[in-house]
Amino acid sequence: MEWIQAKTILSGYAENNNWFGVNYNMNLYKGCNHGCIYCDSRSDCYRVENFDQVRGKENVLLILERELRSKRKTGVVGTGAMSDPYNPYEKEHQLTRSALELINRHGFGTSIATKSNLIVRDIDLLKKIAEHSPVLVKMTVTTADDSLCRIIEPNVSPSSDRLNAIRRLSEEGIFAGILMMPILPFIEDTEDNIKSIVELAHQSGARFIYPAFGMTLRQNQRDWYYGKLDQLFPGLKEKYLAAYGNAYECRSPRAKELWRCFRSGCDQYGILYRMGDIIRGYKEAYQVDQLSFF
Ligand code: SF4
């Protein structure tokens, strides 16, 4: 892994962020080598050259400590939007683990998106943070089928390991659930897949599933994805071109039926799926505690 220097790490404060109620964002690594064929972060607009090459930000912990100390408001620090914080190098270099130590020490909460079961290594720290601040773990699961998962998300833990990680986190009292997106049109958009994910989520103790029945495609990401379709699913690119042309939003033609079966499964098991409910679910206890001081 190469090292680069960071200038800043935390984004500005967002009061009522409607994306999981995250107040600050950070990326400890640049690029990701998990190889998901649909990855949006390789789009031109993000300007990450050689996306598949992971670069660690060498001075990031010094900067993070300084920035956490200087913030007037604590809040939830999100990570995992542009690269997976639990890439294979994290095992050795522990930037994410060290950042969580700082987040804990300075009284912030955290919201982590990942596809790697390496996150269970940090359960001890997540529990410490949860003693004073909200903690949310979003594990991306797009298919219940490990063999399909190894084709479309080849370099990271298969879905079954991710669900096991959710089970471990949930058993330890961490608010964990599933980011069920994207659901790739003509590949993953079957009722069987959606029902199986909901069932497995229930068995793993997932508190929520946040879904999207389709995908988005932007400049550069689209070329990469279509190249992968030609290689892995011959003939499918033509189906995409006929259905979506150059559209950004590529909604599954079965989105309505999928939503119905998803919602009825979640309702049956008491799994949250609306953003407002998920945010309330992982933050509410802390807001009540804060109010009780006054
Ligand atoms: S884990 Fe996330 S950032 Fe990494 S390749 Fe997959 S979609 Fe992209």
Side-chain angles (χ1 to χ4, degrees), residues 13-270:
Y13 182 81
E15 179 72 49
N16 290 314
N17 187 342
N18 55 17
W19 187 248
F20 293 99
V22 168
N23 304 111
Y24 300 96
N25 257 302
M26 65 175 185
N27 284 294
L28 306 164
Y29 295 93
K30 187 173 186 181
C32 183
N33 60 353
H34 282 167
C36 311
I37 65 169
Y38 51 74
C39 179
D40 164 72
S41 301
R42 65 174 67 253
S43 305
D44 269 356
C45 57
Y46 300 121
R47 299 173 190 278
V48 183
E49 285 168 18
N50 303 323
F51 180 78
D52 301 270
Q53 186 190 350
V54 177
R55 284 137 285 176
K57 298 183 182 174
E58 197 164 23
N59 53 347
V60 77
L61 298 172
L62 282 173
I63 297 177
L64 180 61
E65 166 118 62
R66 191 178 66 213
E67 293 186 354
L68 288 171
R69 206 183 307 128
S70 69
K71 295 290 179 197
R72 280 191 300 169
K73 281 188 172 184
T74 58
V76 172
V77 179
T79 192
M82 284 292 296
S83 66
D84 198 315
Y86 289 97
N87 64 55
Y89 301 103
E90 169 61 20
K91 213 170 187 174
E92 177 186 350
H93 297 293
Q94 306 203 1
L95 289 188
T96 300
R97 182 168 176 85
S98 307
L100 290 176
E101 279 165 357
L102 293 175
I103 282 170
N104 179 43
R105 199 177 309 149
H106 290 275
F108 284 70
T110 192
S111 162
I112 301 174
T114 184
K115 289 191 178 94
S116 169
N117 61 356
L118 180 55
I119 192 169
V120 301
R121 177 198 66 187
D122 293 340
I123 284 178
D124 59 332
L125 272 172
L126 296 172
K127 283 173 75 174
K128 282 185 190 163
I129 298 171
E131 284 172 15
H132 54 78
S133 303
V135 171
L136 178 72
V137 173
K138 294 163 275 171
M139 189 64 80
T140 305
V141 177
T142 71
T143 172
D145 175 353
D146 276 359
S147 51
L148 176 60
C149 180
R150 287 195 182 93
I151 295 171
I152 61 176
E153 299 155 351
N155 308 329
V156 67
S157 324
S159 297
S160 55
D161 286 353
R162 296 178 213 168
L163 286 151
N164 271 330
I166 293 177
R167 188 179 45 73
R168 296 271 308 277
L169 290 155
S170 301
E171 283 169 0
E172 297 287 348
I174 303 296
F175 197 97
I178 291 176
L179 209 48
M180 197 178 73
M181 58 176 67
I183 292 296
L184 303 177
F186 315 120
I187 299 175
E188 299 178 308
D189 57 344
T190 62
E191 286 202 14
D192 265 3
N193 186 38
I194 303 305
K195 279 183 187 162
S196 302
I197 293 176
V198 173
E199 182 63 39
L200 292 167
H202 167 63
Q203 288 169 14
S204 313
R207 302 290 302 278
F208 67 91
I209 307 176
Y210 193 69
F213 299 104
M215 69 183 307
T216 55
L217 282 175
R218 294 194 248 225
Q219 203 62 32
N220 199 34
Q221 173 206 11
R222 179 182 293 106
D223 297 341
W224 176 270
Y225 182 60
Y226 283 177
K228 288 290 179 186
L229 289 188
D230 280 343
Q231 197 185 320
L232 302 165
F233 303 93
L236 211 49
K237 177 180 82 182
E238 289 69 25
K239 216 165 164 180
Y240 270 75
L241 285 169
Y244 305 115
N246 278 334
Y248 169 61
E249 281 186 34
C250 307
R251 197 164 176 258
S252 162
R254 303 184 188 126
K256 275 191 186 155
E257 300 96 275
L258 297 180
W259 168 253
R260 269 198 296 272
C261 92
F262 167 77
R263 201 178 50 186
S264 96
C266 288
D267 286 342
Q268 181 191 341
Y269 292 129

